[in-house]
């Protein structure tokens, strides 16, 4: 069962790659056990893929989301208070849409009066800030989503 | 003077975290649990009012990580920290930091923790309080020639032990002078690796001793009460497997003397909160003090079941009020209780058996209590100890407890991983166990 599902998902990944390189907008595949439809949405760099089972072979609809921009998540390496700027008076280190370099400071997590600067480990664009200023964060909690551009031509 | 504890941080995992959370719920104290990534799907995380992930599975980065635990404690403004057993429970430095942050450490004072951590030191305090100790060294050993000299004066066999040791590690039996010379540096190295100090000492080795301990509670001002004895003689590699209360190995007179010794030691130490004075006894009922365990013990439920007390709640009471919740005359012991530690291991090879608990069915019915954090579908992490559940059985006497325990162990079903339940059944079926003829090498002698 699990192997079969993995094999199908692997095929779907291949299909998405082919669609991207050929700018195909929509693909529907149907067998007696399952149905797949992949649609590359206009203006959005995101495909929604739905695998629907038509009999008991696969009993749950699976949704796979992929993006042509890779989204990288920055997580907190420690417990503490999340601050977007170096002091209440200063401007935030980063804003949504801002380009950041690998190694750039994104925020501070303060634990026990120690200010820990959190650096980006990738180069890209800030696409989401997941925590409000001053909130407590835990170990491993996602803080930022950074989109890292991938060569859309595939090579 | 203590203060009202309204919010507590639980710095532990597994069944003891659950045990503390349950007591807090009954006392209407808000709880904060800190946990590692390996315990994300654990019952304590689900049951706590607040749960904060503080690090990866490796205990030194999570459950032993002072700064992360204190960060949570201060950010969420807790009044107190309960350390459970193991991890930071006997760490004087951590207890000191709590004090600095004006957070109540639910346990003994940092000074008491430091004193009791040094086994050789606490031995000499015991001796001063007229508590019998095994013949052995009074101060740390210097070198091999000195050790040999002392060994000859006491006589072999002996135990060479780490002063800061515990949990059965850093202990070797010595039968000859040659062995002593050989193992002296080995135990030193083991002691340093496990406990950060290479201080070691010698102690007379008793053949087939019983392990008997006394649960005490102190208020920190020299007032000490006891909750009776526990016997923990069924062990494998110095790890307890079956514990019972009271002990079946002492006459009433000897038991009274042993309990008095424990109280005397607690008074001398001005001991605060829950502690356990461990003794070993020989086959004619002489008893010798071993060490003080400065924490709640894994086996505390057998005492609760025979004294109708709640030791965790008593710990909170002492921490909050700097006073004892009960007088000695309030404590009535009745009946018998046994605890069986169900652990994840191959019953034949004793190799740990981490993995998925596909299905679990706990025994129930009259006289049965289960303290466990596992559930059907639970993944046993490989990073921590292998305890899955404690089966605690209560009855009117030892015979009845053995009968209830047998049927309870037969009902106990754990699928997906291997457990020591077959071994536990084999032990309680053994004639000598049923007669109460037990000692710390019982398993080696009769079962293995």
């Amino acid at each position: 069962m699990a192997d079969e599902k993995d094999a199908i998902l692997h095929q779907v990944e291949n299909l998405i790659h082919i669609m991207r390189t050929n700018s195909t907008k929509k693909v529907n595949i149907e067998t007696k056990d399952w149905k797949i439809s992949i649609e590359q949405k206009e203006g959005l760099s995101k495909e929604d893929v739905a695998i629907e089972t038509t009999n008991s072979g696969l009993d749950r609809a699976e949704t796979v989301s992929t993006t042509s921009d890779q989204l990288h998540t920055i997580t907190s390496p420690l417990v503490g208070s999340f601050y977007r700027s170096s002091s209440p008076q200063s401007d935030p280190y980063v804003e949504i849409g801002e380009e950041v370099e690998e190694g750039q400071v994104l925020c501070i997590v303060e634990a026990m009066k120690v200010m820990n600067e959190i650096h980006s480990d990738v180069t890209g664009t800030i696409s989401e800030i997941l925590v409000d200023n001053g909130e407590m964060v835990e170990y491993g909690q996602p803080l930022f989503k950074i989109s890292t551009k991938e060569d859309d031509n595939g090579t | 003077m203590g203060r009202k504890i309204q919010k507590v941080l639980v710095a532990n995992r597994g069944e003891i975290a659950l045990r503390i959370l349950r007591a807090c719920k009954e006392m209407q104290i808000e709880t904060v649990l800190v946990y590692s990534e390996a315990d994300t799907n654990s019952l304590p995380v689900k049951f706590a009012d607040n749960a904060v992930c503080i690090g990866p599975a490796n205990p030194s980065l999570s459950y032993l990580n002072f700064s992360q635990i204190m960060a949570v404690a201060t950010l969420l403004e807790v009044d107190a920290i309960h350390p459970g057993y193991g991890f930071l429970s006997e760490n004087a430095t951590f207890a000191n930091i709590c004090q600095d942050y004006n957070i109540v450490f639910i346990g003994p004072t940092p000074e008491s923790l430091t004193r009791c951590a040094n086994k050789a030191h606490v031995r000499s305090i015991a001796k001063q309080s007229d508590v019998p100790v095994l013949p052995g060294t009074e101060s740390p050993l210097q070198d091999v020639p000195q050790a040999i000299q002392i060994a000859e004066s006491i006589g072999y066999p002996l135990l060479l032990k780490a002063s800061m040791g515990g949990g059965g590690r850093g202990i070797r039996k010595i039968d000859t002078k040659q062995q002593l010379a050989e193992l002296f540096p080995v135990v030193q190295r083991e002691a340093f690796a496990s406990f950060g100090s290479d201080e070691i000492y010698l102690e007379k080795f008793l053949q087939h001793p019983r392990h008997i301990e006394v649960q005490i509670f102190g208020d920190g001002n020299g007032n000490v009460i006891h909750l009776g004895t526990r016997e923990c003689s069924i062990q494998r590699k110095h790890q307890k497997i079956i514990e019972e209360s009271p002990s079946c190995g002492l006459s009433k007179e000897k038991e009274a003397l042993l309990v008095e010794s424990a109280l005397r030691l607690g008074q001398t130490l001005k001991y605060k909160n829950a502690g356990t004075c461990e003794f070993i006894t020989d086959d004619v009922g002489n008893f010798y003090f071993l060490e003080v365990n400065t924490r709640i013990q894994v086996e505390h439920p057998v005492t609760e079941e025979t004294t109708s007390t709640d030791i965790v709640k008593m710990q909170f009471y002492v921490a909050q009020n700097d006073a004892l919740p009960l007088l000695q005359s309030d404590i009535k012991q009745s009946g018998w209780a046994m605890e069986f530690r169900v652990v994840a291991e191959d019953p034949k090879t004793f190799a740990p058996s981490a993995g998925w608990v596909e299905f679990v069915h706990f025994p129930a019915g009259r006289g049965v209590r289960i303290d466990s954090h596992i559930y059907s579908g639970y993944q046993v992490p490989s990073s921590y100890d292998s305890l899955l559940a404690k089966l605690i059985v209560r009855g009117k006497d030892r015979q009845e407890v053995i009968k209830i325990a047998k049927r309870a162990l037969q009902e106990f079903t754990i699928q997906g991983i291997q457990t020591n339940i077959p071994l536990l059944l084999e032990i309680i079926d053994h004639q000598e166990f049923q007669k109460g003829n037990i000692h710390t090498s019982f398993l080696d002698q009769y079962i293995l």
Side-chain angles (χ1 to χ4, degrees):
Chain A
M1 263 295 293
D3 288 350
E4 191 187 348
K5 227 185 258 181
D6 284 348
I8 294 171
L9 288 174
H10 184 68
Q11 288 303 316
V12 170
E13 278 168 27
N14 286 341
L15 258 174
I16 292 169
H17 186 72
I18 293 163
M19 284 170 69
R20 216 182 263 159
T21 47
N22 297 312
S23 304
T24 313
K25 290 282 174 256
K26 196 171 179 177
V27 172
N28 283 314
I29 304 169
E30 213 172 325
T31 74
K32 73 177 178 32
D33 287 342
W34 45 265
K35 185 171 89 184
I36 294 179
S37 69
I38 306 176
E39 193 177 347
Q40 187 154 259
K41 286 178 186 160
E42 283 284 85
L44 280 173
S45 54
K46 194 173 188 180
E47 297 95 359
D48 286 331
V49 182
I51 304 175
E52 263 178 58
T53 52
T54 46
N55 74 7
S56 60
L58 288 163
D59 54 356
R60 215 155 45 84
E62 298 260 335
T63 302
V64 182
S65 292
T66 65
T67 51
S68 54
D69 276 4
Q70 297 283 316
L71 273 189
H72 177 83
T73 307
I74 305 282
T75 58
S76 180
L78 75 169
V79 171
S81 301
F82 172 86
Y83 293 114
R84 289 189 51 201
S85 57
S86 59
S87 71
Q89 291 78 35
S90 352
D91 292 333
Y93 286 108
V94 290
E95 295 284 3
I96 289 174
E98 200 172 314
E99 307 254 328
V100 294
E101 304 261 305
E102 187 182 333
Q104 190 175 330
V105 175
L106 301 177
C107 65
I108 278 177
V109 175
E110 183 214 320
M112 311 306 290
K113 314 272 177 237
V114 178
M115 306 292 164
N116 302 281
E117 293 178 323
I118 310 301
H119 303 266
S120 178
D121 52 2
V122 291
T123 296
T125 312
I126 302 285
S127 78
E128 274 177 86
I129 301 174
L130 303 159
V131 183
D132 287 338
N133 194 47
E135 257 183 38
M136 181 184 156
V137 292
E138 59 182 7
Y139 173 85
Q141 184 172 335
L143 305 176
F144 297 93
K145 295 253 189 223
I146 298 179
S147 76
T148 54
K149 290 240 175 57
E150 215 192 44
D151 189 354
D152 263 354
N153 293 323
T155 46
Chain B
M1 197 54 208
R3 60 168 161 168
K4 180 104 182 80
I5 298 169
Q6 289 171 313
K7 193 174 184 182
V8 69
L9 184 147
V10 178
N12 215 298
R13 61 175 303 284
E15 68 87 18
I16 194 64
L18 208 49
R19 169 75 186 85
I20 299 162
L21 292 173
R22 282 171 170 158
C24 289
K25 215 158 247 182
E26 290 166 19
M27 293 184 289
Q28 294 177 303
I29 294 174
E30 190 184 347
T31 52
V32 176
L33 180 81
V34 292
Y35 66 96
S36 82
E37 282 182 319
D39 285 325
T40 306
N41 296 318
S42 71
L43 285 187
V45 170
K46 289 185 178 75
F47 287 177
D49 296 318
N50 311 275
V52 182
C53 182
I54 54 165
N58 181 347
S60 62
L61 301 174
S62 46
Y63 294 107
L64 294 170
N65 190 335
F66 288 13
S67 67
Q68 289 292 276
I69 293 169
M70 292 313 290
V72 175
T74 50
L75 282 166
L76 294 181
E77 299 176 322
V78 303
D79 306 310
I81 295 182
H82 197 305
Y85 54 67
F87 296 128
L88 296 172
S89 60
E90 297 178 275
N91 191 310
T93 314
F94 182 71
N96 239 321
I97 293 173
C98 290
Q99 224 166 45
D100 290 347
Y101 280 87
N102 197 25
I103 289 169
V104 178
F105 177 83
I106 300 178
T109 59
E111 297 73 37
S112 210
L113 291 171
T114 308
R115 260 181 162 188
C116 295
N118 190 323
K119 314 290 178 213
H121 179 58
V122 82
R123 256 173 66 93
S124 70
I125 298 176
K127 222 175 161 186
Q128 288 157 27
S129 321
D130 284 326
V131 174
V133 297
L134 282 169
T137 37
E138 296 311 320
S139 48
L141 295 168
Q142 303 301 322
D143 49 32
V144 176
Q146 185 221 17
I148 290 174
Q149 202 192 339
I150 294 168
E152 317 261 85
S153 75
I154 304 167
Y156 298 98
L158 292 157
L159 283 180
L160 194 54
K161 297 170 93 172
S163 292
M164 308 302 286
R169 284 174 301 158
I171 302 179
R172 292 302 175 91
K173 187 183 166 209
I174 308 287
D175 292 307
T176 62
K177 184 175 158 181
Q178 288 72 21
Q179 239 183 352
L180 178 55
E182 239 168 69
L183 290 173
F184 189 95
V186 176
V187 176
Q188 254 186 338
R189 213 178 320 128
E190 235 174 53
F192 186 77
S194 299
F195 311 107
S197 156
D198 64 0
E199 225 180 274
I200 57 175
Y201 68 103
L202 277 169
E203 201 174 73
K204 179 84 187 146
F205 174 81
L206 280 191
Q207 195 73 39
H208 301 331
R210 285 170 175 265
H211 175 119
I212 299 174
E213 57 189 34
V214 182
Q215 175 72 58
I216 60 164
F217 258 94
D219 67 355
N221 298 310
N223 299 308
V224 184
I225 55 170
H226 75 89
L227 301 182
T229 56
R230 287 190 290 256
E231 175 155 6
C232 318
S233 295
I234 302 294
Q235 309 182 349
R236 191 174 62 81
K237 288 189 175 169
H238 304 287
Q239 303 294 319
K240 299 164 183 171
I241 302 177
I242 300 175
E243 301 100 335
E244 56 191 287
S245 180
S247 164
C248 62
L250 290 172
S251 64
K252 279 281 160 236
E253 296 73 38
K254 290 281 184 189
E255 187 182 350
L257 287 174
L258 182 127
V259 166
E260 274 166 38
S261 288
L263 289 176
R264 243 185 351 260
L265 181 57
Q267 287 154 0
T268 310
L269 289 166
K270 285 202 165 49
Y271 194 81
K272 188 176 172 188
N273 221 311
T276 298
C277 298
E278 293 192 335
F279 296 85
I280 51 174
T281 68
D282 63 18
D283 43 14
V284 291
N286 296 313
F287 60 86
Y288 306 95
F289 166 76
L290 275 187
E291 61 181 63
V292 183
N293 288 319
T294 50
R295 56 166 193 271
I296 190 165
Q297 300 271 108
V298 177
E299 61 270 25
H300 75 275
V302 293
T303 300
E304 295 181 327
E305 294 303 321
T306 49
T307 55
S308 302
T309 53
D310 185 320
I311 290 174
V312 174
K313 286 182 188 167
M314 286 174 74
Q315 284 189 299
F316 274 86
Y317 186 93
V318 175
Q320 186 173 287
N321 301 296
D322 295 335
L324 294 168
L326 295 167
L327 297 171
Q328 190 65 59
S329 55
D330 296 331
I331 298 158
K332 301 271 181 280
Q333 286 173 257
S334 70
W336 210 278
M338 266 187 204
E339 175 184 276
F340 299 83
R341 296 193 195 185
V342 175
V343 299
E345 67 179 19
D346 184 314
K348 290 283 166 247
T349 66
F350 302 117
S353 155
W356 291 99
V357 176
E358 281 166 23
F359 175 77
V360 57
H361 171 76
F362 290 126
R366 187 176 163 273
V368 174
R369 161 178 170 183
I370 296 282
D371 279 20
S372 172
H373 58 292
I374 68 165
Y375 53 85
S376 296
Y378 175 69
Q379 168 91 48
V380 181
S382 54
S383 329
Y384 309 110
D385 76 65
S386 53
L387 183 65
L388 296 174
K390 303 190 307 203
L391 163 67
I392 303 117
V393 177
R394 185 172 78 173
K396 67 178 194 302
D397 54 29
R398 198 166 184 272
Q399 276 64 42
E400 189 187 42
V401 167
I402 288 173
K403 284 186 184 127
I404 298 172
K406 183 170 179 178
R407 73 98 181 137
L409 283 166
Q410 286 168 339
E411 280 175 31
F412 211 138
T413 310
I414 298 180
Q415 284 166 2
I417 54 173
Q418 290 194 295
T419 74
N420 65 337
I421 291 175
L423 175 69
L424 293 170
L425 275 166
E426 200 178 335
I427 297 168
I428 60 167
D429 268 340
H430 201 281
Q431 243 183 29
E432 297 301 317
F433 179 83
Q434 294 180 352
K435 283 194 235 159
N437 293 331
I438 53 177
H439 52 77
T440 55
S441 34
F442 180 91
L443 255 68
D444 294 316
Q445 190 177 353
Y446 297 114
I447 308 276
L448 306 179

